[in-house]
């Protein structure tokens, strides 16, 4: 399984096989990077946001295909926290997602974007819908 981590001054990049067992490792490495750089963050919300975003890319974007990679980047230059999660899947119609309201409380999925926004992250997608950029506002 692929797991390659690259650290550049104020940026962390991890490329990994799209398997669920890698998600915790990516989150742990992201937290360690922030701590090494003395970057202030709120632990619970960041871990939740990371888990939602990365899981969506691995599970929905790449359909848990270990031959497809997920790319995670974390950038703290300029004092802001920016997270970029990209998969190799075909993408989705993100414009529909942004127009929807909070999903039914009975559902077990579909709440990721609402949670991210509730914790102060602005979400932007590329045109295809396979790259999500989250900026802490």
């Amino acid at each position: 399984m692929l797991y390659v981590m690259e650290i550049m001054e104020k940026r962390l990049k991890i490329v990994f096989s799209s398997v669920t067992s890698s998600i915790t490792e990516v989150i742990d490495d992201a937290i360690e990077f922030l701590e090494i750089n003395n970057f202030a963050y709120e632990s619970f919300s960041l871990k939740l946001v990371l888990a939602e975003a990365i899981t969506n890319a691995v599970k929905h974007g790449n359909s848990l295909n270990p031959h497809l990679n997920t790319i995670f980047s974390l950038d703290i230059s300029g004092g802001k926290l920016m997270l970029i999660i990209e998969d190799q899947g075909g993408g989705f119609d993100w414009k529909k997602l942004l127009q929807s309201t909070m999903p039914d409380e009975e559902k077990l999925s579909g709440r990721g974007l609402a949670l991210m926004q509730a914790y102060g992250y602005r979400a932007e997608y590329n045109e295809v819908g396979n790259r999500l950029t989250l900026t802490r506002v």
Side-chain angles (χ1 to χ4, degrees):
M1 265 191 301
L2 177 69
Y3 194 93
V4 177
M5 183 167 44
E6 181 181 353
I7 298 173
M8 301 153 278
E9 202 167 316
K10 297 289 184 183
R11 185 168 184 233
L12 170 70
K13 180 178 179 182
I14 302 171
V15 179
F16 61 100
S17 298
S18 293
V19 293
T20 56
S21 59
S22 294
I23 296 170
T24 301
E25 187 175 0
V26 172
I27 294 169
D28 289 346
D29 285 339
I31 297 300
E32 183 177 349
F33 175 81
L34 291 173
E35 289 174 355
I36 288 170
N37 283 280
N38 296 313
F39 191 87
Y41 66 95
E42 199 287 309
S43 181
F44 176 79
S45 62
L46 178 60
K47 288 178 182 178
L48 181 62
V49 165
L50 287 173
E52 285 289 329
I54 296 168
T55 299
N56 283 340
V58 168
K59 190 174 181 182
H60 302 295
N62 284 341
S63 303
L64 296 171
N65 182 340
H67 301 292
L68 295 177
N69 296 328
T70 301
I71 303 165
F72 168 74
S73 299
L74 182 154
D75 190 318
I76 56 174
S77 60
K80 286 187 179 180
L81 177 61
M82 181 185 300
L83 310 167
I84 302 169
I85 302 93
E86 185 172 359
D87 61 65
Q88 293 182 312
F92 74 105
D93 186 358
W94 55 270
K95 292 172 187 159
K96 262 188 190 177
L97 177 70
L98 294 179
Q99 294 171 355
S100 68
T101 58
M102 182 69 167
D104 185 352
E105 291 177 12
E106 305 286 318
K107 287 182 138 183
L108 296 175
S109 65
R111 296 185 225 169
L113 183 60
L115 284 171
M116 293 170 200
Q117 292 171 336
Y119 283 113
Y121 289 85
R122 184 181 70 236
E124 296 177 40
Y125 292 92
N126 66 344
E127 194 60 37
V128 176
N130 69 339
R131 184 178 65 235
L132 169 63
T133 301
L134 296 166
T135 306
R136 182 78 165 93
V137 291

